[in-house]
Amino acid sequence: MDTSMAIKVVKFGGSSLADAKQIQKAAAIIQADPQRRYVVPSAPGKRFSGDTKVTDMLYACYALAEAGVEFQKELEAIQARYDDIIAGLGIQLSLADEFAVIAENFRKRAGKDYAASRGEYLNGKVIAAYLGFPFVDAADVIFFQPNGSLNDQKTEEALRARLTDLENAVIPGFYGCGADGYVKTFSRGGSDVTGSIVAGAVKAALYENWTDVSGFLVADPRIVENPAVIRTITYTELRELSYMGASVLHEAAIFPVRAAGIPINIRNTNAPEEPGTMIVPDSSDEEVSAYTITGIAGKKQFTSINIHKDLMNSQIGFCRDVLSVLADHQIPLEHMPSSIDSMTVIVDTEHLKGIEEQIRTEIIKAVQPDSMDVEENIALIAVVGRGMCRTRGVAARIFAALAHARINVRMIDQGSSELNVIVAVKEADFEQAIRCIYDMFVNSVAE
């Protein structure tokens, strides 16, 4: 492998590769930078609203095969999608043999994972032919353990061995080889995970993830109109926002590059001039957000269990006994603010369904509280940012923004890292609360 030039691994999502025009955009991006050496494509996504993704077409087609129903017409429709792409790219390529193999394997019940993976496999073949790059089947270089987890060592060794002598390559995303020798897909993260694994294996300088948005947004655009783009975010900040419901990369797609200290750049295929969002290691000296906060995210459907008992702080094991009740029922704890005479535990409402009275009874038996009440329809909002630990009065500004909108804060919780502040509000106030916090920390700065 030529080490004289920094390596970039580039992954393109389904919307970026939905048709020939989109693939030409992606190819222009790849060809514009010789450092973009290894390409990880997704299957073709939707070309327009109401269209069907190729992966969904494959699932539907295989369902017919599994049911013993003739599926040739549906498979031909999928082949037509690829033939349209090939014609639009103006390349000499036939996938007839590939589709004959797929048809045979569908009749042999090769499995849903095999069926789903063919979208990436075929698109990889097309893109490799268009770029003139070698095609590397992911099933030859990515391996899973018997329990379904990634076989990290075997995968890294195989990727390095295969790519060492290849200046460029196309490695389709989403799948690899299971411990049984059959094709297996990633349960979550899809092609994002493949791109991250390849980047880690070749010690890339940067992992570019090309999609249809110009980076991550400070807040949900369904709640805040035209929110600002996050230019730089650390892996820890990203994890905090992701946990609280922000639509970001799945943890499995982050770990391989995070462990290797490789930054990720989220870019827009349709606006390649935009810098996008750079995800950097926590130790990075990259410039922090232009605002005190980096992002705002939140989720609804939580329940607050409020427990009061005089001299609670002097009763050894009080909190432990309460948490033991939740643990016995496999209920994860979200947050637990407390004072000398009271504590509150916030849990996902879904986990309490059908057993709320039983939980209440067991807590009363365990700690004999003076009073206890349960409040449903609670929403949690996370305000996250590295800049918060260097700025005074962040919590006060959050309270001020919410108080001005007459929104009652049910709970506030700040971690020792001072990286995030969590506030609980009624679900009915959720959207308005996010808008108020955004106005306080972003719009007030922009004006």
Side-chain angles (χ1 to χ4, degrees):
M1 186 180 296
D2 178 14
T3 58
S4 63
M5 181 174 64
I7 297 170
K8 293 180 183 178
V9 171
V10 293
K11 176 264 175 180
F12 288 90
S15 60
S16 298
L17 307 172
D19 56 26
K21 184 178 179 181
Q22 287 298 103
I23 290 175
Q24 286 170 337
K25 289 181 185 178
I29 289 167
I30 296 162
Q31 292 162 345
D33 186 348
Q35 293 183 348
R36 293 177 177 136
R37 293 173 50 186
Y38 303 114
V39 182
V40 177
S42 297
K46 292 183 179 182
R47 296 163 293 185
F48 48 83
S49 178
D51 196 17
T52 305
K53 298 177 181 178
V54 163
T55 301
D56 291 337
M57 295 174 74
L58 284 161
Y59 274 129
C61 185
Y62 184 73
L64 294 175
E66 215 171 24
V69 178
E70 182 52 48
F71 58 85
Q72 193 60 40
K73 180 181 176 182
E74 286 72 17
L75 192 60
E76 287 173 357
I78 298 170
Q79 185 170 354
R81 283 282 295 268
Y82 284 100
D83 287 344
D84 284 347
I85 290 172
I86 291 168
L89 294 175
I91 55 176
Q92 295 297 314
L93 176 69
S94 173
L95 296 177
D97 290 345
E98 303 289 352
F99 274 94
V101 171
I102 291 170
E104 182 181 352
N105 287 331
F106 273 26
R107 291 191 174 92
K108 291 179 179 177
R109 312 292 197 274
K112 291 181 180 178
D113 281 14
Y114 169 82
S117 73
R118 295 306 86 184
E120 277 74 13
Y121 173 84
L122 293 166
N123 220 23
K125 287 274 189 178
V126 171
I127 292 166
Y130 185 61
L131 292 170
F133 287 3
F135 173 82
V136 176
D137 190 350
D140 294 336
V141 290
I142 292 179
F143 301 95
F144 293 90
Q145 305 272 16
N147 66 1
S149 64
L150 182 71
N151 188 329
D152 301 84
Q153 184 175 347
K154 185 177 180 181
T155 295
E156 187 169 317
E157 290 173 354
L159 276 167
R160 285 183 180 172
R162 189 64 178 274
L163 299 179
T164 292
D165 299 320
L166 294 178
E167 188 70 20
N168 303 95
V170 173
I171 309 102
F174 189 41
Y175 72 94
C177 181
D180 57 4
Y182 292 97
V183 167
K184 176 174 173 53
T185 59
F186 287 100
S187 57
R188 296 187 69 180
S191 299
D192 291 330
V193 181
T194 305
S196 185
I197 292 168
V198 173
V202 301
K203 299 187 183 304
L206 182 66
Y207 170 33
E208 292 183 340
N209 192 304
W210 293 83
T211 179
D212 56 2
V213 294
S214 296
F216 297 144
L217 303 174
V218 173
D220 189 335
R222 294 169 296 184
I223 298 174
V224 175
E225 186 177 356
N226 298 320
V229 175
I230 300 172
R231 290 305 177 199
T232 305
I233 186 171
T234 65
Y235 283 115
T236 299
E237 288 174 312
L238 183 73
R239 181 168 165 75
E240 293 279 358
L241 290 170
S242 177
Y243 179 73
M244 285 302 295
S247 179
V248 294
L249 292 174
H250 186 260
E251 179 68 18
I254 295 171
F255 182 75
V257 286
R258 181 177 186 176
I262 299 169
I264 304 174
N265 194 190
I266 307 299
R267 303 283 294 275
N268 189 343
T269 305
N270 301 314
E273 70 283 356
E274 292 285 337
T277 298
M278 189 70 77
I279 308 168
V280 299
D282 298 333
S283 59
S284 173
D285 58 2
E286 289 271 351
E287 182 182 349
V288 298
S289 170
Y291 315 106
T292 301
I293 67 171
T294 298
I296 309 165
K299 291 191 291 188
K300 295 181 178 180
Q301 297 186 332
F302 290 99
T303 294
S304 171
I305 303 174
N306 309 304
I307 304 164
H308 179 89
K309 185 172 186 179
D310 287 342
L311 303 177
M312 182 193 84
N313 64 315
S314 64
Q315 183 172 326
I316 305 299
F318 188 94
C319 294
R320 177 202 62 204
D321 293 340
V322 172
L323 297 183
S324 291
V325 173
L326 300 180
D328 289 343
H329 292 275
Q330 301 294 303
I331 298 174
L333 174 70
E334 294 293 336
H335 292 279
M336 190 186 73
S338 64
S339 65
I340 58 173
D341 292 328
S342 65
M343 67 177 289
T344 296
V345 290
I346 294 183
V347 299
D348 188 329
T349 303
E350 186 67 27
H351 286 95
L352 286 178
K353 280 189 175 178
I355 59 170
E356 182 183 312
E357 284 305 315
Q358 184 179 352
I359 296 295
R360 184 195 295 266
T361 300
E362 291 183 19
I363 290 177
I364 292 173
K365 181 179 178 181
V367 297
Q368 292 88 47
D370 294 332
S371 64
M372 184 174 76
D373 66 87
V374 177
E375 184 177 3
E376 298 180 337
N377 302 318
I378 295 293
L380 296 181
I381 299 170
V383 184
V384 177
R386 283 181 290 171
M388 291 163 54
C389 64
R390 294 186 292 274
T391 305
R392 294 179 182 177
V394 171
R397 292 175 69 189
I398 293 173
F399 274 122
L402 298 179
H404 183 72
R406 300 183 181 278
I407 295 172
N408 187 26
V409 176
R410 316 299 295 179
M411 177 213 76
I412 185 164
D413 192 10
Q414 182 171 19
S416 58
S417 67
E418 298 185 67
L419 186 71
N420 72 333
V421 175
I422 307 289
V423 293
V425 299
K426 291 181 178 179
E427 285 187 357
D429 294 326
F430 177 70
E431 288 82 4
Q432 180 64 15
I434 289 179
R435 285 191 286 267
C436 288
I437 296 169
Y438 183 90
D439 286 342
M440 173 63 76
F441 288 95
V442 181
N443 282 345
S444 62
V445 174
E447 290 172 355

